């Protein structure tokens, strides 16, 4: 199955992508994670992406499209994959469509719709494991011991772009450049929307699985 998770920053794309990719046995491809890894390793792509990410702007389409097309060519993607945070512009969606034939195209696009003020609360409270990447929230998904990952006992940290100013910028970039994808995928009859502002992580997860069962 080939899936896309679409939604504003903090909507829960990463949280649910981890669960769904595990239950379907398909790789979870997060362009944000790929860029952060490139940045940590100071690769040429990472260094180019740095300024855009820090300002909450989108990394240029040409860079991102190439990253994703290279990744989905790999063997583990033969049975499908889950794209989290890509595409984010119409040009990226078209770049992907050009590579996929009609027969082997995307099966479903899940759009997580969430109000702006809820997103600010979610992102400013997000904490990540510095070792395994596990995702927590200081109120909604607390680790057993504050600041420590339940799974591997490493320290948790806060992403540098998870401050209120950058989040508001990321949200406005989403409305301007990514929201047109809702219509794009609606026209292709692929879009399934979940209003996820006031539902718990478990409730949203149940809804995602229900929607995918009918894909
Ligand atoms: P990226 O890493 O993709 O960030 P994002 O889209 O801004 O999304 P987030 O990772 O912030 O949120 P999420 O939806 O995954 O939410 P999460 O599940 O963590 O991109 C970062 C940057 O990289 C971009 O700004 C851009 O510069 C660049 N980039 C990436 N892809 C690109 C592309 N295709 N083109 C160009 N540039 C690109 O949840 C958030 C928190 O809320 C967590 O703590 C979680 O526990 C909690 N939570 C989740 N759901 C619920 C719920 N239902 N109830 C309560 N709490 C919840």
């Amino acid at each position: 199955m080939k899936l896309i998770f679409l939604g504003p920053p903090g909507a829960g794309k990463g949280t649910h992508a981890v669960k769904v990719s595990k239950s379907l046995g398909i790789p979870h491809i997060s362009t944000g994670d790929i860029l952060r890894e490139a940045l940590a390793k100071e690769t040429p792509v990472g260094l180019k992406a740095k300024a855009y990410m820090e300002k909450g702007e989108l990394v240029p389409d040409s860079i991102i499209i190439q990253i994703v097309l290279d990744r989905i060519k790999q063997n583990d993607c033969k049975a499908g994959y889950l794209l989290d945070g890509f595409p984010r512009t119409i040009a990226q969606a078209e770049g992907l469509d050009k590579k996929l034939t009609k027969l082997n195209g995307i099966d479903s696009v899940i759009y997580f719709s969430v109000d702006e003020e809820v997103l600010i609360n979610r992102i400013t409270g997000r904490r990540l494991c510095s070792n395994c990447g596990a995702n927590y929230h200081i109120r909604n998904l607390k680790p057993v011991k504050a600041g420590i990952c339940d799974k591997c006992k490493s320290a948790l940290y806060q992403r540098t772009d998870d401050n209120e100013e950058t989040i508001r910028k990321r949200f406005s970039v989403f409305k301007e450049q990514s929201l047109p994808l809702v219509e794009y995928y609606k026209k292709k009859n692929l879009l399934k929307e979940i209003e996820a502002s006031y539902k718990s992580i478990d409730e949203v997860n149940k809804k995602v699985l229900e929607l995918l069962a009918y894909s």
Side-chain angles (χ1 to χ4, degrees):
M1 193 177 255
K2 298 190 182 76
L3 303 173
I4 290 173
F5 279 8
L6 173 69
K13 303 180 296 294
T15 301
H16 296 289
V18 169
K19 292 174 191 284
V20 170
S21 64
K22 205 169 165 194
S23 60
L24 295 179
I26 54 175
H28 165 205
I29 302 174
S30 154
T31 42
D33 287 349
I34 293 173
L35 291 170
R36 276 183 290 280
E37 200 184 325
L39 188 54
K41 290 182 180 157
E42 299 191 339
T43 67
V45 163
L47 295 175
K48 258 189 214 158
K50 188 173 189 263
Y52 297 99
M53 294 174 78
E54 280 175 355
K55 281 190 271 176
E57 290 170 3
L58 294 185
V59 172
D61 289 334
S62 55
I63 297 179
I64 283 289
I65 294 172
Q66 201 49 51
I67 289 175
V68 173
L69 297 185
D70 288 345
R71 179 66 187 88
I72 63 176
K73 262 195 253 158
Q74 291 173 21
N75 273 342
D76 64 332
C77 292
K78 281 201 173 127
Y81 42 81
L82 193 167
L83 297 175
D84 159 10
F86 179 93
R88 258 171 153 100
T89 63
I90 296 287
Q92 292 179 16
E94 288 173 347
L96 178 66
D97 283 349
K98 263 191 219 150
K99 280 285 159 189
L100 303 177
T101 63
K102 273 203 171 152
L103 259 180
N104 290 314
I106 295 297
D107 297 288
S108 257
V109 178
I110 305 269
Y111 168 44
F112 299 88
S113 130
V114 180
D115 295 346
E116 182 169 357
E117 293 313 312
V118 175
L119 296 173
I120 304 288
N121 173 292
R122 284 193 192 169
I123 304 188
T124 50
R126 172 168 53 191
R127 297 293 181 273
L128 298 159
C129 174
S130 51
N131 177 46
C132 71
N135 190 327
Y136 296 89
H137 191 279
I138 54 171
R139 286 173 296 276
N140 308 331
L141 194 61
K142 291 182 187 176
V144 175
K145 192 169 173 205
I148 303 291
C149 177
D150 294 347
K151 293 175 187 153
C152 71
K153 311 295 173 214
S154 301
L156 304 184
Y157 75 99
Q158 186 170 25
R159 266 170 50 177
T160 52
D161 60 347
D162 279 357
N163 59 77
E164 185 166 341
E165 189 190 344
T166 314
I167 299 161
R168 293 213 186 264
K169 171 71 183 167
R170 279 153 64 196
F171 189 67
S172 82
V173 167
F174 172 80
K175 284 195 286 190
E176 226 171 82
Q177 302 192 51
S178 308
L179 209 50
L181 290 167
V182 169
E183 274 314 303
Y184 181 90
Y185 287 116
K186 250 187 204 167
K187 280 190 189 142
K188 291 179 183 285
N189 222 3
L190 293 175
L191 194 96
K192 298 179 168 72
E193 179 169 351
I194 299 179
E195 212 306 304
S197 302
Y198 305 103
K199 291 188 179 78
S200 69
I201 294 176
D202 285 346
E203 285 168 325
V204 176
N205 188 243
K206 199 170 154 224
K207 188 78 192 151
V208 172
L209 296 177
E210 267 170 35
L211 291 176
L212 292 179
Y214 296 103
S215 298

